[in-house]
Amino acid sequence: MIRVPIQDLESDIIKDVEVFLPSDKLNVYEESYFSWAASPLIAKINSNNISGGILKAWHHVPVFNEIETHAEPEMFYFISGIALMLFIDLVDEIPNLDTAQIVRIRPGTQLIISKGKGHFIPVAESEEPVHIIVVSPRVDAPKIQLSTSIGAL
């Protein structure tokens, strides 16, 4: 098993992943009974068949045996709970284990994961489940087995 450190997510630490952190400044529009804070991240998606859903993940030991990738970008909005998520580069559709990163993602974070970027469903760091809104085109999510497990230090 390969062990990698868990890093707190910052704006530029994951190649091919755009990050908006909850501490980043939003322009907020307000009226008497609502406010609207649009994210500055924009995904360029070729498909017009877009789907969304809520992903809920529970706590377990952060060991990953597979990844998935997509032919289009995916948007993740982390709503609650603290997540641990694996990212890895692919070279000719083979995971490059030397690029494996496990990052800690806090509520309020938005990610756009570029097409072709290896990643997997996050796990909750504690007993509090993670809730994520995911928006993506309707595309396949091929899973790729890792040659060895990747776990957190």
mmCIF file of all heavy atoms in Angstrom, residues 55-108:
data_model
loop_
_atom_site.group_PDB
_atom_site.id
_atom_site.type_symbol
_atom_site.label_atom_id
_atom_site.label_comp_id
_atom_site.label_asym_id
_atom_site.label_seq_id
_atom_site.Cartn_x
_atom_site.Cartn_y
_atom_site.Cartn_z
ATOM 1 N N LEU A 55 -24.745 13.658 -3.198
ATOM 2 C CA LEU A 55 -23.886 12.546 -2.820
ATOM 3 C C LEU A 55 -23.714 12.592 -1.303
ATOM 4 O O LEU A 55 -23.399 13.645 -0.760
ATOM 5 C CB LEU A 55 -22.533 12.688 -3.519
ATOM 6 C CG LEU A 55 -21.442 11.692 -3.169
ATOM 7 C CD1 LEU A 55 -21.857 10.278 -3.520
ATOM 8 C CD2 LEU A 55 -20.164 12.066 -3.902
ATOM 9 N N LYS A 56 -23.934 11.482 -0.649
ATOM 10 C CA LYS A 56 -23.739 11.388 0.793
ATOM 11 C C LYS A 56 -22.683 10.323 1.043
ATOM 12 O O LYS A 56 -22.773 9.212 0.512
ATOM 13 C CB LYS A 56 -25.047 11.006 1.489
ATOM 14 C CG LYS A 56 -24.949 10.979 3.001
ATOM 15 C CD LYS A 56 -26.324 10.688 3.628
ATOM 16 C CE LYS A 56 -26.260 10.694 5.126
ATOM 17 N NZ LYS A 56 -27.579 10.393 5.725
ATOM 18 N N ALA A 57 -21.664 10.675 1.826
ATOM 19 C CA ALA A 57 -20.574 9.744 2.100
ATOM 20 C C ALA A 57 -20.376 9.634 3.601
ATOM 21 O O ALA A 57 -20.457 10.625 4.318
ATOM 22 C CB ALA A 57 -19.288 10.223 1.426
ATOM 23 N N TRP A 58 -20.083 8.418 4.056
ATOM 24 C CA TRP A 58 -19.896 8.149 5.466
ATOM 25 C C TRP A 58 -18.424 7.952 5.782
ATOM 26 O O TRP A 58 -17.598 7.781 4.902
ATOM 27 C CB TRP A 58 -20.694 6.904 5.873
ATOM 28 C CG TRP A 58 -22.156 7.137 5.833
ATOM 29 C CD1 TRP A 58 -22.943 7.590 6.855
ATOM 30 C CD2 TRP A 58 -23.042 6.928 4.723
ATOM 31 N NE1 TRP A 58 -24.248 7.683 6.441
ATOM 32 C CE2 TRP A 58 -24.342 7.285 5.142
ATOM 33 C CE3 TRP A 58 -22.854 6.491 3.414
ATOM 34 C CZ2 TRP A 58 -25.441 7.214 4.304
ATOM 35 C CZ3 TRP A 58 -23.951 6.424 2.581
ATOM 36 C CH2 TRP A 58 -25.225 6.770 3.031
ATOM 37 N N HIS A 59 -18.145 7.882 7.061
ATOM 38 C CA HIS A 59 -16.785 7.676 7.542
ATOM 39 C C HIS A 59 -16.359 6.224 7.342
ATOM 40 O O HIS A 59 -17.136 5.303 7.577
ATOM 41 C CB HIS A 59 -16.710 8.022 9.036
ATOM 42 C CG HIS A 59 -15.388 7.709 9.643
ATOM 43 N ND1 HIS A 59 -14.256 8.456 9.390
ATOM 44 C CD2 HIS A 59 -15.004 6.723 10.480
ATOM 45 C CE1 HIS A 59 -13.243 7.939 10.052
ATOM 46 N NE2 HIS A 59 -13.658 6.890 10.723
ATOM 47 N N HIS A 60 -15.165 6.039 6.877
ATOM 48 C CA HIS A 60 -14.470 4.752 6.918
ATOM 49 C C HIS A 60 -12.989 5.040 6.711
ATOM 50 O O HIS A 60 -12.601 6.165 6.402
ATOM 51 C CB HIS A 60 -15.030 3.724 5.922
ATOM 52 C CG HIS A 60 -14.747 3.980 4.487
ATOM 53 N ND1 HIS A 60 -13.602 3.547 3.865
ATOM 54 C CD2 HIS A 60 -15.451 4.626 3.531
ATOM 55 C CE1 HIS A 60 -13.626 3.897 2.593
ATOM 56 N NE2 HIS A 60 -14.725 4.569 2.367
ATOM 57 N N VAL A 61 -12.169 4.058 6.901
ATOM 58 C CA VAL A 61 -10.727 4.245 6.767
ATOM 59 C C VAL A 61 -10.429 4.733 5.344
ATOM 60 O O VAL A 61 -10.872 4.108 4.378
ATOM 61 C CB VAL A 61 -9.974 2.932 7.068
ATOM 62 C CG1 VAL A 61 -8.481 3.099 6.851
ATOM 63 C CG2 VAL A 61 -10.279 2.468 8.483
ATOM 64 N N PRO A 62 -9.708 5.852 5.200
ATOM 65 C CA PRO A 62 -9.456 6.386 3.862
ATOM 66 C C PRO A 62 -8.392 5.596 3.100
ATOM 67 O O PRO A 62 -7.227 5.977 3.022
ATOM 68 C CB PRO A 62 -9.011 7.832 4.132
ATOM 69 C CG PRO A 62 -8.460 7.814 5.509
ATOM 70 C CD PRO A 62 -9.207 6.730 6.248
ATOM 71 N N VAL A 63 -8.830 4.459 2.571
ATOM 72 C CA VAL A 63 -7.987 3.627 1.715
ATOM 73 C C VAL A 63 -8.742 3.476 0.396
ATOM 74 O O VAL A 63 -9.915 3.103 0.379
ATOM 75 C CB VAL A 63 -7.710 2.247 2.349
ATOM 76 C CG1 VAL A 63 -6.976 1.345 1.367
ATOM 77 C CG2 VAL A 63 -6.915 2.408 3.637
ATOM 78 N N PHE A 64 -8.052 3.770 -0.696
ATOM 79 C CA PHE A 64 -8.678 3.761 -2.012
ATOM 80 C C PHE A 64 -8.043 2.679 -2.870
ATOM 81 O O PHE A 64 -6.822 2.545 -2.923
ATOM 82 C CB PHE A 64 -8.504 5.126 -2.683
ATOM 83 C CG PHE A 64 -9.138 6.254 -1.905
ATOM 84 C CD1 PHE A 64 -8.406 6.941 -0.949
ATOM 85 C CD2 PHE A 64 -10.451 6.617 -2.124
ATOM 86 C CE1 PHE A 64 -8.971 7.981 -0.224
ATOM 87 C CE2 PHE A 64 -11.033 7.650 -1.409
ATOM 88 C CZ PHE A 64 -10.287 8.335 -0.451
ATOM 89 N N ASN A 65 -8.891 1.889 -3.540
ATOM 90 C CA ASN A 65 -8.430 0.803 -4.398
ATOM 91 C C ASN A 65 -8.737 1.037 -5.872
ATOM 92 O O ASN A 65 -8.296 0.276 -6.724
ATOM 93 C CB ASN A 65 -9.067 -0.515 -3.965
ATOM 94 C CG ASN A 65 -8.648 -0.889 -2.568
ATOM 95 O OD1 ASN A 65 -7.461 -1.004 -2.298
ATOM 96 N ND2 ASN A 65 -9.601 -1.056 -1.667
ATOM 97 N N GLU A 66 -9.542 2.067 -6.140
ATOM 98 C CA GLU A 66 -9.922 2.363 -7.512
ATOM 99 C C GLU A 66 -10.170 3.859 -7.652
ATOM 100 O O GLU A 66 -10.307 4.569 -6.659
ATOM 101 C CB GLU A 66 -11.179 1.575 -7.909
ATOM 102 C CG GLU A 66 -12.396 1.897 -7.068
ATOM 103 C CD GLU A 66 -13.565 0.976 -7.357
ATOM 104 O OE1 GLU A 66 -13.543 0.243 -8.361
ATOM 105 O OE2 GLU A 66 -14.529 1.013 -6.576
ATOM 106 N N ILE A 67 -10.186 4.305 -8.893
ATOM 107 C CA ILE A 67 -10.522 5.685 -9.203
ATOM 108 C C ILE A 67 -11.533 5.665 -10.330
ATOM 109 O O ILE A 67 -11.809 4.618 -10.920
ATOM 110 C CB ILE A 67 -9.284 6.507 -9.617
ATOM 111 C CG1 ILE A 67 -8.617 5.891 -10.847
ATOM 112 C CG2 ILE A 67 -8.322 6.661 -8.450
ATOM 113 C CD1 ILE A 67 -7.563 6.780 -11.489
ATOM 114 N N GLU A 68 -12.093 6.835 -10.616
ATOM 115 C CA GLU A 68 -12.930 6.979 -11.794
ATOM 116 C C GLU A 68 -12.510 8.255 -12.515
ATOM 117 O O GLU A 68 -11.791 9.089 -11.956
ATOM 118 C CB GLU A 68 -14.420 7.019 -11.428
ATOM 119 C CG GLU A 68 -14.837 8.220 -10.621
ATOM 120 C CD GLU A 68 -16.324 8.227 -10.291
ATOM 121 O OE1 GLU A 68 -16.952 7.159 -10.264
ATOM 122 O OE2 GLU A 68 -16.842 9.320 -10.063
ATOM 123 N N THR A 69 -12.945 8.353 -13.744
ATOM 124 C CA THR A 69 -12.664 9.538 -14.541
ATOM 125 C C THR A 69 -13.849 9.749 -15.471
ATOM 126 O O THR A 69 -14.701 8.870 -15.611
ATOM 127 C CB THR A 69 -11.334 9.372 -15.317
ATOM 128 O OG1 THR A 69 -11.025 10.608 -15.945
ATOM 129 C CG2 THR A 69 -11.399 8.256 -16.325
ATOM 130 N N HIS A 70 -13.914 10.931 -16.067
ATOM 131 C CA HIS A 70 -15.046 11.261 -16.934
ATOM 132 C C HIS A 70 -14.557 11.996 -18.171
ATOM 133 O O HIS A 70 -13.502 12.634 -18.146
ATOM 134 C CB HIS A 70 -16.041 12.163 -16.187
ATOM 135 C CG HIS A 70 -16.470 11.601 -14.879
ATOM 136 N ND1 HIS A 70 -17.411 10.605 -14.764
ATOM 137 C CD2 HIS A 70 -16.066 11.880 -13.616
ATOM 138 C CE1 HIS A 70 -17.572 10.304 -13.485
ATOM 139 N NE2 HIS A 70 -16.761 11.066 -12.762
ATOM 140 N N ALA A 71 -15.359 11.942 -19.226
ATOM 141 C CA ALA A 71 -15.030 12.612 -20.479
ATOM 142 C C ALA A 71 -15.458 14.079 -20.472
ATOM 143 O O ALA A 71 -15.236 14.789 -21.451
ATOM 144 C CB ALA A 71 -15.700 11.887 -21.647
ATOM 145 N N GLU A 72 -16.069 14.534 -19.396
ATOM 146 C CA GLU A 72 -16.498 15.923 -19.224
ATOM 147 C C GLU A 72 -16.167 16.352 -17.789
ATOM 148 O O GLU A 72 -15.998 15.509 -16.914
ATOM 149 C CB GLU A 72 -18.014 16.058 -19.433
ATOM 150 C CG GLU A 72 -18.458 15.843 -20.860
ATOM 151 C CD GLU A 72 -18.491 17.128 -21.680
ATOM 152 O OE1 GLU A 72 -17.874 18.142 -21.269
ATOM 153 O OE2 GLU A 72 -19.144 17.112 -22.735
ATOM 154 N N PRO A 73 -16.114 17.655 -17.523
ATOM 155 C CA PRO A 73 -15.874 18.110 -16.145
ATOM 156 C C PRO A 73 -17.053 17.791 -15.227
ATOM 157 O O PRO A 73 -18.179 17.596 -15.694
ATOM 158 C CB PRO A 73 -15.735 19.629 -16.277
ATOM 159 C CG PRO A 73 -15.609 19.917 -17.726
ATOM 160 C CD PRO A 73 -16.191 18.762 -18.468
ATOM 161 N N GLU A 74 -16.775 17.751 -13.939
ATOM 162 C CA GLU A 74 -17.804 17.588 -12.901
ATOM 163 C C GLU A 74 -17.671 18.738 -11.911
ATOM 164 O O GLU A 74 -16.571 19.171 -11.605
ATOM 165 C CB GLU A 74 -17.582 16.306 -12.091
ATOM 166 C CG GLU A 74 -18.073 15.058 -12.701
ATOM 167 C CD GLU A 74 -17.992 13.916 -11.693
ATOM 168 O OE1 GLU A 74 -16.887 13.645 -11.192
ATOM 169 O OE2 GLU A 74 -19.031 13.305 -11.435
ATOM 170 N N MET A 75 -18.807 19.200 -11.391
ATOM 171 C CA MET A 75 -18.807 20.225 -10.347
ATOM 172 C C MET A 75 -19.256 19.597 -9.039
ATOM 173 O O MET A 75 -20.258 18.877 -9.010
ATOM 174 C CB MET A 75 -19.750 21.370 -10.708
ATOM 175 C CG MET A 75 -19.271 22.199 -11.876
ATOM 176 S SD MET A 75 -20.270 23.669 -12.150
ATOM 177 C CE MET A 75 -21.740 22.955 -12.846
ATOM 178 N N PHE A 76 -18.509 19.848 -7.984
ATOM 179 C CA PHE A 76 -18.829 19.365 -6.645
ATOM 180 C C PHE A 76 -19.024 20.578 -5.736
ATOM 181 O O PHE A 76 -18.152 21.452 -5.689
ATOM 182 C CB PHE A 76 -17.681 18.529 -6.074
ATOM 183 C CG PHE A 76 -17.603 17.117 -6.568
ATOM 184 C CD1 PHE A 76 -17.468 16.818 -7.913
ATOM 185 C CD2 PHE A 76 -17.643 16.071 -5.663
ATOM 186 C CE1 PHE A 76 -17.382 15.513 -8.348
ATOM 187 C CE2 PHE A 76 -17.545 14.749 -6.095
ATOM 188 C CZ PHE A 76 -17.418 14.477 -7.446
ATOM 189 N N TYR A 77 -20.137 20.630 -5.003
ATOM 190 C CA TYR A 77 -20.393 21.658 -3.993
ATOM 191 C C TYR A 77 -20.485 20.950 -2.645
ATOM 192 O O TYR A 77 -21.445 20.212 -2.397
ATOM 193 C CB TYR A 77 -21.706 22.391 -4.267
ATOM 194 C CG TYR A 77 -21.726 23.161 -5.563
ATOM 195 C CD1 TYR A 77 -22.126 22.553 -6.751
ATOM 196 C CD2 TYR A 77 -21.368 24.505 -5.595
ATOM 197 C CE1 TYR A 77 -22.164 23.264 -7.942
ATOM 198 C CE2 TYR A 77 -21.402 25.216 -6.776
ATOM 199 C CZ TYR A 77 -21.799 24.593 -7.946
ATOM 200 O OH TYR A 77 -21.831 25.282 -9.130
ATOM 201 N N PHE A 78 -19.511 21.155 -1.783
ATOM 202 C CA PHE A 78 -19.459 20.496 -0.481
ATOM 203 C C PHE A 78 -20.333 21.269 0.495
ATOM 204 O O PHE A 78 -20.058 22.431 0.808
ATOM 205 C CB PHE A 78 -18.014 20.386 0.006
ATOM 206 C CG PHE A 78 -17.201 19.437 -0.833
ATOM 207 C CD1 PHE A 78 -16.707 19.814 -2.072
ATOM 208 C CD2 PHE A 78 -16.953 18.141 -0.392
ATOM 209 C CE1 PHE A 78 -15.984 18.936 -2.855
ATOM 210 C CE2 PHE A 78 -16.229 17.250 -1.170
ATOM 211 C CZ PHE A 78 -15.740 17.657 -2.408
ATOM 212 N N ILE A 79 -21.384 20.622 0.980
ATOM 213 C CA ILE A 79 -22.399 21.294 1.794
ATOM 214 C C ILE A 79 -22.154 21.117 3.285
ATOM 215 O O ILE A 79 -22.230 22.070 4.055
ATOM 216 C CB ILE A 79 -23.808 20.761 1.433
ATOM 217 C CG1 ILE A 79 -24.078 20.945 -0.069
ATOM 218 C CG2 ILE A 79 -24.874 21.433 2.269
ATOM 219 C CD1 ILE A 79 -23.963 22.370 -0.553
ATOM 220 N N SER A 80 -21.880 19.891 3.723
ATOM 221 C CA SER A 80 -21.669 19.652 5.149
ATOM 222 C C SER A 80 -20.703 18.495 5.347
ATOM 223 O O SER A 80 -20.536 17.646 4.477
ATOM 224 C CB SER A 80 -22.996 19.358 5.857
ATOM 225 O OG SER A 80 -23.551 18.146 5.390
ATOM 226 N N GLY A 81 -20.089 18.471 6.532
ATOM 227 C CA GLY A 81 -19.112 17.441 6.855
ATOM 228 C C GLY A 81 -17.758 17.749 6.227
ATOM 229 O O GLY A 81 -17.661 18.549 5.292
ATOM 230 N N ILE A 82 -16.721 17.145 6.768
ATOM 231 C CA ILE A 82 -15.376 17.309 6.224
ATOM 232 C C ILE A 82 -15.011 16.053 5.453
ATOM 233 O O ILE A 82 -15.109 14.939 5.978
ATOM 234 C CB ILE A 82 -14.356 17.601 7.340
ATOM 235 C CG1 ILE A 82 -14.720 18.934 8.014
ATOM 236 C CG2 ILE A 82 -12.939 17.644 6.784
ATOM 237 C CD1 ILE A 82 -13.867 19.284 9.198
ATOM 238 N N ALA A 83 -14.610 16.247 4.203
ATOM 239 C CA ALA A 83 -14.354 15.132 3.288
ATOM 240 C C ALA A 83 -12.861 14.915 3.092
ATOM 241 O O ALA A 83 -12.071 15.856 3.142
ATOM 242 C CB ALA A 83 -14.999 15.412 1.934
ATOM 243 N N LEU A 84 -12.487 13.655 2.853
ATOM 244 C CA LEU A 84 -11.148 13.284 2.402
ATOM 245 C C LEU A 84 -11.312 12.682 1.010
ATOM 246 O O LEU A 84 -12.049 11.717 0.837
ATOM 247 C CB LEU A 84 -10.509 12.268 3.355
ATOM 248 C CG LEU A 84 -10.339 12.725 4.796
ATOM 249 C CD1 LEU A 84 -9.808 11.579 5.652
ATOM 250 C CD2 LEU A 84 -9.430 13.936 4.883
ATOM 251 N N MET A 85 -10.623 13.268 0.030
ATOM 252 C CA MET A 85 -10.843 12.857 -1.359
ATOM 253 C C MET A 85 -9.517 12.607 -2.048
ATOM 254 O O MET A 85 -8.561 13.369 -1.880
ATOM 255 C CB MET A 85 -11.638 13.939 -2.094
ATOM 256 C CG MET A 85 -12.153 13.537 -3.447
ATOM 257 S SD MET A 85 -13.381 14.741 -4.036
ATOM 258 C CE MET A 85 -13.825 13.964 -5.596
ATOM 259 N N LEU A 86 -9.481 11.540 -2.837
ATOM 260 C CA LEU A 86 -8.292 11.154 -3.608
ATOM 261 C C LEU A 86 -8.344 11.763 -5.003
ATOM 262 O O LEU A 86 -9.389 11.735 -5.667
ATOM 263 C CB LEU A 86 -8.227 9.628 -3.744
ATOM 264 C CG LEU A 86 -7.147 9.074 -4.675
ATOM 265 C CD1 LEU A 86 -5.757 9.293 -4.083
ATOM 266 C CD2 LEU A 86 -7.381 7.598 -4.957
ATOM 267 N N PHE A 87 -7.190 12.293 -5.438
ATOM 268 C CA PHE A 87 -6.997 12.756 -6.811
ATOM 269 C C PHE A 87 -5.705 12.141 -7.329
ATOM 270 O O PHE A 87 -4.750 11.952 -6.576
ATOM 271 C CB PHE A 87 -6.883 14.286 -6.874
ATOM 272 C CG PHE A 87 -8.158 14.976 -6.501
ATOM 273 C CD1 PHE A 87 -8.379 15.377 -5.193
ATOM 274 C CD2 PHE A 87 -9.133 15.211 -7.451
ATOM 275 C CE1 PHE A 87 -9.553 16.008 -4.843
ATOM 276 C CE2 PHE A 87 -10.319 15.839 -7.105
ATOM 277 C CZ PHE A 87 -10.523 16.236 -5.792
ATOM 278 N N ILE A 88 -5.701 11.827 -8.630
ATOM 279 C CA ILE A 88 -4.514 11.202 -9.218
ATOM 280 C C ILE A 88 -4.509 11.488 -10.720
ATOM 281 O O ILE A 88 -5.568 11.568 -11.352
ATOM 282 C CB ILE A 88 -4.495 9.672 -8.921
ATOM 283 C CG1 ILE A 88 -3.157 9.059 -9.227
ATOM 284 C CG2 ILE A 88 -5.622 8.957 -9.629
ATOM 285 C CD1 ILE A 88 -2.985 7.657 -8.622
ATOM 286 N N ASP A 89 -3.324 11.682 -11.277
ATOM 287 C CA ASP A 89 -3.195 11.895 -12.720
ATOM 288 C C ASP A 89 -3.196 10.558 -13.445
ATOM 289 O O ASP A 89 -2.758 9.538 -12.902
ATOM 290 C CB ASP A 89 -1.893 12.633 -13.046
ATOM 291 C CG ASP A 89 -1.884 14.066 -12.546
ATOM 292 O OD1 ASP A 89 -2.961 14.607 -12.244
ATOM 293 O OD2 ASP A 89 -0.781 14.639 -12.466
ATOM 294 N N LEU A 90 -3.668 10.595 -14.684
ATOM 295 C CA LEU A 90 -3.634 9.419 -15.558
ATOM 296 C C LEU A 90 -2.670 9.700 -16.707
ATOM 297 O O LEU A 90 -2.657 10.796 -17.257
ATOM 298 C CB LEU A 90 -5.026 9.131 -16.121
ATOM 299 C CG LEU A 90 -6.111 8.821 -15.097
ATOM 300 C CD1 LEU A 90 -7.471 8.734 -15.773
ATOM 301 C CD2 LEU A 90 -5.802 7.532 -14.383
ATOM 302 N N VAL A 91 -1.883 8.698 -17.048
ATOM 303 C CA VAL A 91 -0.999 8.775 -18.210
ATOM 304 C C VAL A 91 -1.382 7.613 -19.114
ATOM 305 O O VAL A 91 -1.259 6.447 -18.719
ATOM 306 C CB VAL A 91 0.493 8.687 -17.792
ATOM 307 C CG1 VAL A 91 1.379 8.713 -19.031
ATOM 308 C CG2 VAL A 91 0.856 9.818 -16.838
ATOM 309 N N ASP A 92 -1.906 7.943 -20.296
ATOM 310 C CA ASP A 92 -2.417 6.916 -21.210
ATOM 311 C C ASP A 92 -3.423 6.010 -20.505
ATOM 312 O O ASP A 92 -3.375 4.774 -20.628
ATOM 313 C CB ASP A 92 -1.264 6.097 -21.807
ATOM 314 C CG ASP A 92 -0.329 6.949 -22.657
ATOM 315 O OD1 ASP A 92 -0.822 7.878 -23.333
ATOM 316 O OD2 ASP A 92 0.889 6.686 -22.631
ATOM 317 N N GLU A 93 -4.312 6.637 -19.730
ATOM 318 C CA GLU A 93 -5.393 5.964 -18.991
ATOM 319 C C GLU A 93 -4.900 5.044 -17.878
ATOM 320 O O GLU A 93 -5.658 4.220 -17.371
ATOM 321 C CB GLU A 93 -6.325 5.231 -19.957
ATOM 322 C CG GLU A 93 -6.994 6.183 -20.947
ATOM 323 C CD GLU A 93 -7.988 5.507 -21.848
ATOM 324 O OE1 GLU A 93 -8.503 4.435 -21.503
ATOM 325 O OE2 GLU A 93 -8.259 6.071 -22.921
ATOM 326 N N ILE A 94 -3.647 5.186 -17.471
ATOM 327 C CA ILE A 94 -3.092 4.404 -16.365
ATOM 328 C C ILE A 94 -2.786 5.361 -15.220
ATOM 329 O O ILE A 94 -2.135 6.391 -15.427
ATOM 330 C CB ILE A 94 -1.804 3.659 -16.804
ATOM 331 C CG1 ILE A 94 -2.143 2.668 -17.922
ATOM 332 C CG2 ILE A 94 -1.151 2.961 -15.619
ATOM 333 C CD1 ILE A 94 -0.935 2.046 -18.573
ATOM 334 N N PRO A 95 -3.269 5.047 -14.001
ATOM 335 C CA PRO A 95 -3.001 5.930 -12.867
ATOM 336 C C PRO A 95 -1.508 6.043 -12.572
ATOM 337 O O PRO A 95 -0.813 5.034 -12.490
ATOM 338 C CB PRO A 95 -3.716 5.246 -11.697
ATOM 339 C CG PRO A 95 -4.719 4.344 -12.330
ATOM 340 C CD PRO A 95 -4.125 3.920 -13.642
ATOM 341 N N ASN A 96 -1.037 7.283 -12.443
ATOM 342 C CA ASN A 96 0.350 7.541 -12.056
ATOM 343 C C ASN A 96 0.363 7.670 -10.534
ATOM 344 O O ASN A 96 0.034 8.726 -9.987
ATOM 345 C CB ASN A 96 0.857 8.819 -12.728
ATOM 346 C CG ASN A 96 2.274 9.152 -12.334
ATOM 347 O OD1 ASN A 96 2.853 8.550 -11.433
ATOM 348 N ND2 ASN A 96 2.848 10.135 -13.007
ATOM 349 N N LEU A 97 0.743 6.604 -9.840
ATOM 350 C CA LEU A 97 0.668 6.564 -8.382
ATOM 351 C C LEU A 97 1.517 7.638 -7.715
ATOM 352 O O LEU A 97 1.210 8.065 -6.599
ATOM 353 C CB LEU A 97 1.058 5.181 -7.869
ATOM 354 C CG LEU A 97 0.185 4.020 -8.371
ATOM 355 C CD1 LEU A 97 0.702 2.692 -7.829
ATOM 356 C CD2 LEU A 97 -1.277 4.222 -8.011
ATOM 357 N N ASP A 98 2.550 8.109 -8.388
ATOM 358 C CA ASP A 98 3.401 9.165 -7.826
ATOM 359 C C ASP A 98 2.678 10.499 -7.691
ATOM 360 O O ASP A 98 3.156 11.394 -7.004
ATOM 361 C CB ASP A 98 4.655 9.368 -8.683
ATOM 362 C CG ASP A 98 5.586 8.169 -8.645
ATOM 363 O OD1 ASP A 98 5.555 7.412 -7.656
ATOM 364 O OD2 ASP A 98 6.347 7.983 -9.624
ATOM 365 N N THR A 99 1.544 10.646 -8.361
ATOM 366 C CA THR A 99 0.799 11.910 -8.314
ATOM 367 C C THR A 99 -0.372 11.864 -7.339
ATOM 368 O O THR A 99 -1.144 12.823 -7.254
ATOM 369 C CB THR A 99 0.277 12.302 -9.710
ATOM 370 O OG1 THR A 99 -0.713 11.343 -10.130
ATOM 371 C CG2 THR A 99 1.411 12.381 -10.723
ATOM 372 N N ALA A 100 -0.537 10.777 -6.614
ATOM 373 C CA ALA A 100 -1.684 10.618 -5.706
ATOM 374 C C ALA A 100 -1.680 11.692 -4.620
ATOM 375 O O ALA A 100 -0.650 11.975 -4.017
ATOM 376 C CB ALA A 100 -1.662 9.241 -5.064
ATOM 377 N N GLN A 101 -2.859 12.283 -4.401
ATOM 378 C CA GLN A 101 -3.052 13.273 -3.348
ATOM 379 C C GLN A 101 -4.364 12.964 -2.635
ATOM 380 O O GLN A 101 -5.372 12.685 -3.295
ATOM 381 C CB GLN A 101 -3.155 14.685 -3.913
ATOM 382 C CG GLN A 101 -1.901 15.208 -4.541
ATOM 383 C CD GLN A 101 -2.154 16.561 -5.183
ATOM 384 O OE1 GLN A 101 -2.588 16.617 -6.328
ATOM 385 N NE2 GLN A 101 -1.897 17.635 -4.445
ATOM 386 N N ILE A 102 -4.350 13.032 -1.321
ATOM 387 C CA ILE A 102 -5.585 12.969 -0.545
ATOM 388 C C ILE A 102 -5.724 14.323 0.130
ATOM 389 O O ILE A 102 -4.824 14.763 0.849
ATOM 390 C CB ILE A 102 -5.558 11.837 0.498
ATOM 391 C CG1 ILE A 102 -5.421 10.478 -0.199
ATOM 392 C CG2 ILE A 102 -6.832 11.876 1.355
ATOM 393 C CD1 ILE A 102 -5.269 9.293 0.745
ATOM 394 N N VAL A 103 -6.848 15.004 -0.141
ATOM 395 C CA VAL A 103 -7.043 16.342 0.406
ATOM 396 C C VAL A 103 -8.261 16.392 1.325
ATOM 397 O O VAL A 103 -9.221 15.654 1.149
ATOM 398 C CB VAL A 103 -7.170 17.413 -0.699
ATOM 399 C CG1 VAL A 103 -5.889 17.546 -1.483
ATOM 400 C CG2 VAL A 103 -8.328 17.124 -1.617
ATOM 401 N N ARG A 104 -8.157 17.281 2.298
ATOM 402 C CA ARG A 104 -9.251 17.542 3.250
ATOM 403 C C ARG A 104 -10.055 18.710 2.695
ATOM 404 O O ARG A 104 -9.506 19.777 2.414
ATOM 405 C CB ARG A 104 -8.660 17.902 4.613
ATOM 406 C CG ARG A 104 -9.682 18.207 5.676
ATOM 407 C CD ARG A 104 -9.028 18.539 7.013
ATOM 408 N NE ARG A 104 -8.406 17.335 7.581
ATOM 409 C CZ ARG A 104 -7.091 17.120 7.677
ATOM 410 N NH1 ARG A 104 -6.230 18.035 7.255
ATOM 411 N NH2 ARG A 104 -6.619 16.011 8.208
ATOM 412 N N ILE A 105 -11.354 18.490 2.548
ATOM 413 C CA ILE A 105 -12.222 19.492 1.931
ATOM 414 C C ILE A 105 -13.319 19.874 2.923
ATOM 415 O O ILE A 105 -14.038 19.007 3.429
ATOM 416 C CB ILE A 105 -12.836 18.955 0.621
ATOM 417 C CG1 ILE A 105 -11.716 18.472 -0.316
ATOM 418 C CG2 ILE A 105 -13.685 20.032 -0.037
ATOM 419 C CD1 ILE A 105 -12.208 17.718 -1.533
ATOM 420 N N ARG A 106 -13.436 21.166 3.161
ATOM 421 C CA ARG A 106 -14.392 21.685 4.145
ATOM 422 C C ARG A 106 -15.691 22.137 3.471
ATOM 423 O O ARG A 106 -15.696 22.446 2.271
ATOM 424 C CB ARG A 106 -13.751 22.836 4.902
ATOM 425 C CG ARG A 106 -12.496 22.390 5.632
ATOM 426 C CD ARG A 106 -11.911 23.420 6.558
ATOM 427 N NE ARG A 106 -10.648 22.958 7.120
ATOM 428 C CZ ARG A 106 -10.502 22.033 8.053
ATOM 429 N NH1 ARG A 106 -11.558 21.430 8.547
ATOM 430 N NH2 ARG A 106 -9.312 21.689 8.505
ATOM 431 N N PRO A 107 -16.780 22.192 4.249
ATOM 432 C CA PRO A 107 -18.051 22.681 3.696
ATOM 433 C C PRO A 107 -17.889 24.090 3.120
ATOM 434 O O PRO A 107 -17.113 24.893 3.622
ATOM 435 C CB PRO A 107 -18.987 22.697 4.905
ATOM 436 C CG PRO A 107 -18.377 21.768 5.895
ATOM 437 C CD PRO A 107 -16.895 21.819 5.659
ATOM 438 N N GLY A 108 -18.638 24.357 2.064
ATOM 439 C CA GLY A 108 -18.578 25.651 1.406
ATOM 440 C C GLY A 108 -17.614 25.685 0.236
ATOM 441 O O GLY A 108 -17.556 26.655 -0.498
#
